[in-house]
């Protein structure tokens, strides 16, 4: 008579925001972008059993992208449109030797997960991998820091700047509201379970030091409604972040090319 164990041999995982698979890209430049993207994914598959991709930008009914490039993998799609969003799992077929894999969508194009149920009798738990792409939206840029050196060349320049900032502020507010809704979905649709791995592009940082210009990028200054939802979500799932010090998002200032913005947006959390 054998004994049961809850110590699952969890497959390794990686996450990557593609900023598009460039499936429909045209011309030599488009083909180059697509080939480079495939090359980067292929590098990851050599090291990790489960690849979690965001911003695939595939058509809603596209269920064959990457099949020819990765025949050794099972692919689970959560497409949105060719213009935005989309998540995708690449699962190496060796994982299916030990687990039954089921894919579920929480939010079209943004949130999905796979459940790995052991085929053998030696384990009492299943595992979940949650692919997260939180709403991007706009950032509340510190335009004064980049426009003081700009020469006003017309009467409407001041009003144009006010209008631009007003639009940015609306996009900023909308982005945080959408993220708050998404975090609530991740709590309400997923009961707590050990061996749950959340990974992806969170589009915000928890600490100011994870974004050297936190009040320019807008990735750090969390409104109270989001902070409350985030705390409730992390406590519900008993989450701990997997240590990873590297910044994964970079942007050069629109007018001040010396202003480099970066943030540590792509992260893993695990339920313990």
């Amino acid at each position: 008579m054998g004994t049961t164990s809850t110590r699952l041999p969890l497959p390794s995982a990686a996450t990557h925001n593609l900023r598009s698979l460039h499936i429909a890209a045209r011309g030599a430049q488009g083909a180059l972008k697509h080939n480079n993207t495939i090359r980067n994914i292929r590098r990851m598959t050599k090291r990790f059993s489960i690849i979690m991709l965001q911003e695939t930008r595939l058509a809603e009914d596209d269920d064959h992208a990457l099949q020819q490039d990765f025949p050794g993998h099972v692919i689970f799609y959560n497409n949105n449109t060719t213009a935005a969003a989309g998540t995708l799992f690449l699962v190496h077929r060796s994982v299916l030797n030990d687990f039954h894999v089921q894919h579920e969508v929480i939010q079209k194009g943004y949130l999905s997960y796979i459940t790995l149920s052991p085929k053998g009798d030696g384990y009492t738990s299943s595992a979940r991998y949650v692919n997260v792409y939180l709403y991007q939206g706009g950032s509340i840029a510190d335009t004064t820091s980049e426009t003081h050196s700009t020469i006003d060349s017309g009467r409407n320049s001041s009003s144009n700047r006010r209008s631009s900032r007003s639009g940015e502020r609306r996009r900023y507010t909308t982005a945080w509201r959408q993220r708050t809704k998404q975090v609530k979905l991740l709590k309400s649709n997923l009961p707590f379970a050990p061996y749950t791995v959340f990974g992806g592009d969170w589009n915000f940082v928890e600490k100011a030091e994870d974004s050297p210009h936190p009040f320019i990028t807008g990735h750090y200054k969390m409104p109270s409604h989001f902070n409350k939802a985030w705390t409730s979500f992390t406590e519900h799932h008993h989450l701990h972040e997997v240590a990873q010090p590297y910044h994964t998002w970079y942007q050069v200032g629109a007018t001040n090319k010396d202003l480099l913005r970066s943030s540590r947006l792509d992260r893993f959390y695990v339920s313990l």
Side-chain angles (χ1 to χ4, degrees):
M1 181 175 176
T3 59
T4 59
S5 170
T6 58
R7 296 181 62 84
L8 284 175
L10 294 180
S12 58
T15 180
H16 180 43
N17 184 320
L18 298 171
R19 302 298 298 273
S20 178
L21 276 166
H22 305 287
I23 293 292
R26 298 179 179 179
Q29 189 65 25
L32 178 63
K33 288 182 178 180
H34 175 69
N35 291 336
N36 285 341
T37 300
I38 296 301
R39 189 177 298 112
N40 288 337
I41 298 173
R42 187 165 286 124
R43 289 194 186 104
M44 288 189 289
T45 62
K46 293 180 179 179
R47 295 186 56 191
F48 302 96
S49 299
I50 297 175
I51 311 297
M52 304 156 65
L53 302 177
Q54 302 87 41
E55 274 202 271
T56 53
R57 301 189 187 184
L58 294 174
E60 184 177 3
D61 60 349
D62 189 342
D63 59 358
H64 57 273
L66 301 184
Q67 297 283 0
Q68 184 175 349
D69 295 296
F70 299 95
H73 290 74
V74 179
I75 304 176
F76 299 97
Y77 302 87
N78 176 25
N79 302 340
N80 188 44
T81 70
T82 57
T87 65
L88 183 151
F89 281 97
L90 274 169
V91 180
H92 196 274
R93 291 189 181 277
S94 62
V95 174
L96 275 66
N97 294 334
D98 300 313
F99 296 95
H100 298 287
V101 182
Q102 182 177 356
H103 180 241
E104 300 287 346
V105 172
I106 298 174
Q107 184 186 37
K108 177 183 174 182
Y110 289 89
L111 308 171
S112 59
Y113 67 96
I114 55 174
T115 301
L116 276 58
S117 304
K119 290 183 176 180
D121 298 327
Y123 303 102
T124 60
S125 296
S126 297
R128 289 185 308 205
Y129 290 74
V130 187
N131 196 343
V132 176
Y133 177 49
L134 292 196
Y135 190 81
Q136 181 179 8
S139 64
I140 190 71
D142 181 4
T143 55
T144 58
S145 69
E146 292 194 19
T147 57
H148 278 179
S149 61
T150 301
I151 299 175
D152 292 338
S153 58
R155 292 182 180 179
N156 296 328
S157 58
S158 178
S159 61
N160 287 342
R161 284 199 298 272
R162 286 196 298 271
S163 176
S164 175
R165 280 189 64 82
S166 177
E168 276 193 345
R169 191 169 295 278
R170 284 194 298 271
R171 291 192 295 272
Y172 172 82
T173 301
T174 298
W176 283 110
R177 286 176 178 169
Q178 292 295 333
R179 291 174 196 146
T180 301
K181 291 179 181 178
Q182 290 175 301
V183 167
K184 289 180 177 179
L185 285 174
L186 289 173
K187 176 184 175 182
S188 62
N189 283 269
L190 294 171
F192 166 75
Y195 306 107
T196 297
V197 179
F198 292 83
D201 182 354
W202 298 87
N203 267 317
F204 82 97
V205 295
E206 294 188 75
K207 304 173 185 176
E209 56 264 34
D210 289 334
S211 188
H213 301 287
F215 299 105
I216 296 176
T217 63
H219 289 144
Y220 168 65
K221 197 174 181 182
M222 292 179 284
S224 59
H225 61 82
F226 177 85
N227 195 32
K228 180 180 178 180
W230 176 255
T231 300
S232 179
F233 159 67
T234 56
E235 290 180 351
H236 170 76
H237 287 292
H238 302 183
L239 292 184
H240 295 262
E241 185 184 347
V242 178
Q244 189 282 105
Y246 303 106
H247 286 208
T248 57
W249 176 89
Y250 292 87
Q251 184 181 68
V252 177
T255 56
N256 181 356
K257 300 302 182 183
D258 294 329
L259 181 62
L260 176 65
R261 310 171 187 179
S262 66
S263 296
R264 199 171 63 86
L265 300 184
D266 301 80
R267 307 185 295 276
F268 275 104
Y269 295 86
V270 294
S271 292
L272 299 177

